[in-house]
């Protein structure tokens, strides 16, 4: 009797297990919402940047009726605090606990490198909408990891070419972490290519904003130009401190992100600053006109490069999803479609190199009023060499 009961129980549990299996198989079907893990900072130095990226991503989805490839989009959002020491746990939460279909993040290079390691180990699709760490599309490149922003080398290199047009000696100032080091390396390469020479590299720990000792040393060295990499909340203080120290007219300041999205807060201190980036305010193309109008309508603000990068992360994901009619199980096909995607980005045409890094034009800009106005194209279709990527 007892054994018959056990057999019946076990048969019942087999049926139950089969039902569970069928249910979970069904949950992978395209009729279910698609889960997007947004791992971005909403607190700390890069909070504004994280919010802009998230808004850009969501804007594209909203423009498409809240769906991608016919599937409703569900967001799982996590504040990474730009803290590399929490990155492993945070990434695992999104992948293993929340079972996201795609991981979108982040701003800080150190956090993004850990995310990419976990994404690679779990074969989770990941799209980097900002962090420029060379390794992401270099030695750590992977079939399932894409970037819609830049490698730190790209804007650094373009800034070096820009500064070398008029100046022949420079001092660099940067936060001491992957992004700062790589941005300065890119600047040096471009500056030397244009006939310039970097005299000294100064730095301070991320996200320290005590710039005064470095500005004092800069004033003593008296180079023809200075190049700076700090971002987010740090860039507003740096530009104000630079002007207050009386350096703005004596040592022209160059940068990539230094005036991006913050001209209102920086005011007169930023006026006339020259920067090099893959986007400019009011860039003239049909897609950007539509993007600016849509962003203003939905968010009541003018977009900047961070919003563009988030928007393009959604566009790239959509390109992959459309190719498989929303079936994320067909990962190899999705990746193939993403690799060959030619996006109509607000920044201009956007395609991807073999390492999955953007190939894009780099613009010279000057800060006039509340706009970083494009003056010319410094380099067309600039691709990161990504020599260490073995894809
Ligand atoms: C980075 O950590 O890669 C980064 C952060 C802010 C702006 C640009 C790059």
């Amino acid at each position: 009797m007892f054994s018959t009961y056990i057999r019946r129980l076990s048969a019942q549990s087999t049926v139950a297990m089969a039902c569970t299996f069928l249910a979970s198989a069904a949950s992978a079907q395209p009729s279910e919402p698609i889960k997007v893990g947004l791992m971005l900072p909403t607190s700390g130095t890069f909070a504004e940047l994280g919010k802009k990226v998230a808004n850009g991503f969501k804007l594209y989805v909203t423009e498409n009726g809240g769906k991608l490839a016919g599937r409703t989009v569900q967001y799982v959002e996590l504040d990474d605090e730009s803290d590399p020491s929490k990155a492993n746990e945070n990434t695992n939460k999104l992948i293993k606990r929340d079972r996201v279909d795609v991981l979108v993040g982040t701003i800080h290079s150190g956090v993004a490198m850990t995310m990419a390691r976990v994404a690679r180990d779990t074969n989770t699709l990941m799209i980097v909408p900002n962090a420029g760490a060379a390794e992401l599309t270099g030695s750590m490149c992977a079939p399932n990891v894409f970037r819609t922003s830049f490698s730190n080398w790209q804007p650094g290199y373009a800034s070096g070419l820009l500064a070398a047009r008029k100046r022949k000696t420079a001092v660099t100032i940067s936060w001491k972490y992957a992004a700062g080091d790589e941005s300065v390396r890119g600047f040096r390469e471009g500056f030397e290519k244009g006939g310039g020479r970097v005299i000294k590299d100064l730095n301070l720990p991320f996200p320290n904003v005590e710039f005064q000792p470095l500005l004092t040393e800069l004033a003593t060295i008296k180079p023809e130009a200075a190049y700076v990499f700090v971002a987010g909340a740090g860039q507003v203080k740096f530009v104000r401190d630079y002007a207050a120290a009386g350096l703005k007219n004596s040592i022209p300041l160059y940068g990539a992100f230094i005036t991006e999205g913050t001209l209102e807060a920086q005011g007169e201190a930023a006026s006339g600053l020259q920067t090099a980036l893959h986007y400019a305010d009011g860039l003239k193309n049909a897609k950007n006109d539509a993007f600016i109008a849509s962003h203003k309508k939905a968010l009541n603000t003018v977009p900047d490069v961070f919003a563009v990068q988030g928007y393009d992360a959604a566009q790239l994901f959509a390109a992959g999803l459309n190719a498989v009619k929303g079936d994320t199980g067909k990962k190899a096909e999705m990746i193939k479609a993403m690799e060959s995607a030619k996006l109509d980005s607000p920044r201009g045409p956007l395609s991807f190199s073999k390492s999955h890094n953007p190939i894009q034009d780099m613009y010279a800009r000057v800060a006039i009023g509340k706009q970083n106005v494009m003056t010319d194209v410094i380099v067309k279709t600039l691709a990161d060499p990504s020599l260490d990527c073995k894809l």
Side-chain angles (χ1 to χ4, degrees):
M1 276 288 278
F2 185 71
S3 61
T4 314
Y5 175 71
I6 288 289
R7 260 203 310 277
R8 202 176 298 144
L9 245 194
S10 118
Q12 276 170 358
S13 62
T14 306
V15 170
M17 271 169 62
C19 289
T20 310
F21 174 77
L22 286 174
S24 64
S27 75
Q29 292 304 303
S31 57
E32 291 290 307
I34 193 141
K35 271 193 180 179
V36 174
L38 293 176
M39 182 159 155
L40 291 158
T42 53
S43 62
T45 303
F46 290 156
E48 281 309 308
L49 280 49
K51 287 175 200 163
K52 287 171 178 177
V53 165
N55 283 338
F57 191 101
K58 290 175 184 173
L59 182 62
Y60 180 82
V61 175
T62 305
E63 284 175 356
N64 289 278
K67 291 186 175 182
L68 293 179
R71 292 177 68 180
T72 306
V73 175
Q74 182 187 337
Y75 298 105
V76 186
E77 301 189 53
L78 194 153
D79 177 9
D80 68 39
E81 304 169 55
S82 297
D83 185 346
S85 74
K86 297 181 182 164
N88 187 51
E89 192 184 334
N90 283 335
T91 311
N92 273 302
K93 269 187 200 157
L94 288 175
I95 293 177
K96 294 189 180 145
R97 181 194 65 188
D98 301 319
R99 303 194 154 282
V100 297
D101 293 297
V102 64
L103 187 62
V104 178
T106 185
I107 303 295
H108 186 285
S109 273
V111 176
M113 282 192 274
T114 297
M115 290 174 73
R117 209 162 288 130
V118 181
R120 199 184 46 187
D121 292 349
T122 55
N123 194 23
T124 305
L125 185 64
M126 173 174 174
I127 303 177
V128 182
N130 185 71
E135 285 178 48
L136 295 170
T137 54
S139 59
M140 281 175 59
C141 72
N144 56 314
V145 177
F146 288 79
R147 176 152 59 196
T148 57
S149 49
F150 54 88
S151 69
N152 287 315
W153 175 84
Q154 286 176 307
Y157 176 72
S159 299
L161 291 175
L162 175 67
R165 288 175 178 176
K166 288 194 184 155
R167 325 280 166 198
K168 294 302 166 208
T169 57
V171 165
T172 70
I173 299 179
S174 64
W175 272 328
K176 186 84 201 131
Y177 80 110
D181 294 349
E182 292 169 5
S183 175
V184 163
R185 227 176 285 140
F187 175 82
R188 182 188 303 274
E189 193 181 325
F191 197 54
E192 286 177 356
K193 189 166 184 201
R197 185 169 56 91
V198 174
I199 304 174
K200 192 161 188 182
D201 296 324
L202 305 175
N203 45 60
L204 73 171
F206 171 85
N208 193 324
V209 290
E210 294 310 315
F211 302 118
Q212 205 49 54
L214 303 185
L215 297 181
T216 303
E217 192 172 348
L218 175 69
T220 313
I221 302 171
K222 292 197 183 68
E224 288 179 30
Y227 173 72
V228 64
F229 175 87
V230 293
Q235 75 195 46
V236 176
K237 181 162 189 300
F238 186 91
V239 166
R240 285 206 197 125
D241 286 3
Y242 201 83
L247 293 169
K248 195 174 160 214
N249 295 324
S250 55
I251 306 176
L253 179 64
Y254 291 85
F257 296 93
I258 195 78
T259 55
E260 188 63 14
T262 48
L263 286 174
E264 196 148 351
Q266 288 164 328
E268 196 42 40
S271 175
L273 290 189
Q274 292 186 66
T275 49
L277 216 55
H278 44 288
Y279 184 65
D281 292 321
L283 202 61
K284 274 290 147 221
N285 65 61
K287 181 70 184 184
N288 195 37
D289 289 347
F291 175 66
I292 292 171
S294 172
H295 196 280
K296 271 189 193 158
K297 191 168 170 220
L299 297 150
N300 207 20
T301 55
V302 178
D304 61 11
V305 77
F306 303 104
V308 172
Q309 294 166 178
Y311 186 86
D312 288 341
Q315 284 211 80
L316 179 62
F317 186 40
L321 283 174
N322 287 333
V324 295
K325 299 192 170 52
D327 185 351
T328 48
K330 296 182 175 164
K331 200 167 273 172
E333 272 179 63
M334 270 185 85
I335 287 172
K336 214 164 153 220
M338 290 167 75
E339 284 176 331
S340 59
K342 304 248 177 293
L343 301 184
D344 186 13
S345 167
R347 76 188 85 177
L350 176 62
S351 60
F352 298 88
S353 62
K354 210 164 169 282
S355 65
H356 299 176
N357 194 62
I359 300 173
Q360 53 195 342
D361 294 350
M362 302 301 303
Y363 305 108
R365 305 118 45 94
V366 61
I368 301 173
K370 289 179 189 163
Q371 289 209 314
N372 289 295
V373 178
M374 197 264 259
T375 55
D376 64 296
V377 180
I378 304 170
V379 207
K380 272 202 92 59
T381 56
L382 183 66
D384 186 291
S386 303
L387 297 176
D388 297 331
C389 174
K390 302 289 176 241
L391 275 185

